[in-house]
Amino acid sequence: MSYLFPTYARWNVTPVEAKGAWLTDKSGKKYLDFTSGISVCNLGHVPDQIKEAVEKQLGLFWHTSNLFQIELQEEVAKQLTDASGLDLVFFSNSGAEANEAAIKLARKSTGRQKIITFIDSFHGRTFATMAATGQDKIKTGFGPMLETFEYVALNDWEALQKAVDEQTAAIMFEVIQGEGGINSGEAEFLQKAQKLAQDNGSLIIIDEVQTGIGRTGKPFAFQHLGLDPDIISVAKGIASGLPLGAIVGKKELAEAFSPGSHGSTFGGNPVSLSAAKATLEMIFDDSFLKQVKENGEKLASMLEAELSSVSTVKKIKGKGMMIGIELTEEAGPYVNAAREKQLLILTAGTHVLRLLPPLNVTEEEMKQAVAILTEVIKHPVRSK
């Protein structure tokens, strides 16, 4: 029997070791991992520079509390503000907690309650972030949601205009919806949404939990579109697998987060921050990001070349190392079939295969993954 709540539909894979893009299970089988811990291990498993930084911090101290001045917090906060163009950081433990902080900050700073999000969005599983999420399946069985969220279809300008009113604290969105199906917000739509928010005295919150930290070929996905958010949330890839999240916001919001207004016991933990500092030093390097962009284009081209003529493939979509293969049928069986051939991938929504390889994946590893995907999609064998 298991002593764990059955909250996850777990795969029959038990990891015992992992390095780079490869994961080994207890039977000795090696898997090419194109999940990266769901966009967490952006430098692959156990990167040497990150391991060295963490081991050094472990020899110093693990935890004090946020009553103390912690230099690593200032150093990582500067990395995030320099890369984003924003001003101030609050550290949390996860993406859901970061989004929770963003929601609180938006409501308190504007004095308004309503937040507009988008259908098929995903923002977390706390009560506020579950309510913010535009997917009914996330909310089933938990009773009434917080009533201050309103949902519109992504890229539907008329619907968004109708939804925004004098009670709107913020418009909150992912530039590319990760869990919802690798759905991209159109540049014109998101730019108009930003102008609408500014004219209405509302804030723009961009959820960069999955798209941030280099995943799309820039430090943050909003930078592809020239957007100017008031708050962004980050987590997942920020610390190479150690728990850390953050919001990054404009200095005008500082008064709303005065002493005692928000907090987190473990947020900004020095061990996680040591991993974050080393991770961001590598990923925010211009030459590294250029390589991510080029490899993302190369991987998408490989997939297009092999799969564009396959009748079950509707479209290859995404950006950088966040790629979706949209199918005419449910994607789950293909994920299982790929895993049987020792390639780990994910779904996004019901009909999209989601590829999230390490940002430093090699060309040979990309070729191996494409070969397995081509075989699985062209010649599907349904697993039992």
Side-chain angles (χ1 to χ4, degrees):
M1 66 170 281
S2 173
Y3 295 95
L4 301 171
F5 275 107
T7 49
Y8 303 103
R10 296 182 188 271
W11 297 342
N12 189 26
V13 177
T14 302
V16 295
E17 188 178 3
K19 185 68 176 175
W22 296 90
L23 182 149
T24 305
D25 76 0
K26 67 177 184 179
S27 71
K29 188 179 290 187
K30 291 190 70 173
Y31 294 86
L32 181 54
D33 186 0
F34 269 42
T35 72
S36 299
I38 315 183
S39 197
V40 168
C41 301
N42 284 4
L43 295 172
H45 294 287
V46 198
D48 292 337
Q49 297 93 322
I50 317 307
K51 180 182 177 184
E52 181 180 342
V54 170
E55 288 176 341
K56 180 178 178 181
Q57 184 61 42
L58 285 170
L60 299 174
F61 66 99
W62 300 0
H63 178 79
T64 53
S65 86
N66 285 311
L67 296 173
F68 291 83
Q69 301 285 341
I70 300 172
E71 290 185 354
L72 267 174
Q73 289 189 0
E74 293 288 352
E75 292 167 3
V76 177
K78 186 175 188 303
Q79 289 175 300
L80 291 169
T81 55
D82 285 350
S84 66
L86 297 169
D87 305 302
L88 298 170
V89 173
F90 173 85
F91 288 111
S92 63
N93 302 289
S94 68
E97 289 182 34
N99 282 331
E100 189 92 18
I103 290 164
K104 288 179 66 175
L105 180 56
R107 288 179 55 153
K108 190 174 183 194
S109 64
T110 63
R112 304 175 181 183
Q113 297 185 15
K114 178 175 161 182
I115 295 178
I116 296 168
T117 66
F118 292 90
I119 295 167
D120 290 328
S121 62
F122 180 81
H123 298 295
R125 294 180 185 272
T126 64
F127 239 90
T129 59
M130 179 171 60
T133 293
Q135 299 185 53
D136 288 342
K137 67 180 182 181
I138 302 298
K139 309 170 190 181
T140 301
F142 293 105
M145 293 289 108
L146 297 178
E147 297 175 353
T148 54
F149 293 93
E150 186 170 339
Y151 319 97
V152 300
L154 187 64
N155 300 319
D156 187 335
W157 174 240
E158 289 187 8
L160 181 60
Q161 281 183 299
K162 290 177 183 177
V164 172
D165 59 24
E166 67 279 358
Q167 282 302 311
T168 302
I171 302 171
M172 181 177 186
F173 57 86
E174 304 151 275
V175 173
I176 304 172
Q177 293 179 335
E179 303 298 321
I182 316 298
N183 308 314
S184 295
E186 296 169 359
E188 183 181 5
F189 172 79
L190 295 180
Q191 289 160 3
K192 287 166 70 176
Q194 176 176 278
K195 178 70 163 52
L196 178 63
Q198 290 171 343
D199 291 346
N200 192 61
S202 308
L203 303 183
I204 289 290
I205 302 171
I206 301 183
D207 181 337
E208 291 272 6
V209 170
Q210 189 162 154
T211 54
I213 317 299
R215 176 56 57 182
T216 65
K218 285 188 179 289
F220 303 102
F222 77 84
Q223 293 167 325
H224 291 283
L225 307 178
L227 297 173
D228 180 28
D230 298 284
I231 306 168
I232 64 171
S233 56
V234 296
K236 286 192 180 289
I238 191 172
S240 291
L242 274 71
L244 188 67
I247 58 168
V248 194
K250 291 183 174 178
K251 59 180 178 294
E252 291 82 5
L253 304 174
E255 186 178 347
F257 261 15
S258 57
S261 59
H262 194 51
S264 171
T265 296
F266 296 108
N269 172 272
V271 179
S272 293
L273 285 167
S274 67
K277 182 181 178 183
T279 298
L280 299 182
E281 283 174 354
M282 294 183 66
I283 292 178
F284 287 168
D285 178 79
D286 288 343
S287 61
F288 183 90
L289 290 169
K290 182 174 182 286
Q291 190 66 50
V292 174
K293 179 179 180 292
E294 291 173 356
N295 279 345
E297 291 169 352
K298 192 176 295 183
L299 178 55
S301 295
M302 290 180 190
L303 292 166
E304 287 279 0
E306 294 293 338
L307 299 175
S308 60
S309 62
V310 179
S311 61
T312 52
V313 176
K314 291 180 67 176
K315 173 167 43 169
I316 310 295
K317 54 185 181 175
K319 202 165 193 68
M321 286 296 179
M322 185 177 184
I323 295 177
I325 304 171
E326 186 173 356
L327 305 175
T328 59
E329 54 192 51
E330 290 197 358
Y334 292 92
V335 171
N336 296 337
R339 189 167 64 250
E340 289 174 4
K341 295 184 180 297
Q342 294 166 247
L343 172 67
L344 303 178
I345 58 174
L346 300 158
T347 59
T350 57
H351 285 63
V352 177
L353 300 174
R354 181 171 29 156
L355 311 183
L356 298 167
L359 304 185
N360 53 359
V361 66
T362 67
E363 185 169 351
E364 180 56 35
E365 288 163 344
M366 290 192 288
K367 288 178 179 177
Q368 290 180 55
V370 170
I372 294 171
L373 284 165
T374 300
E375 182 179 356
V376 164
I377 293 171
K378 284 186 175 179
H379 309 289
V381 178
R382 302 290 189 259
S383 61
K384 297 180 180 178

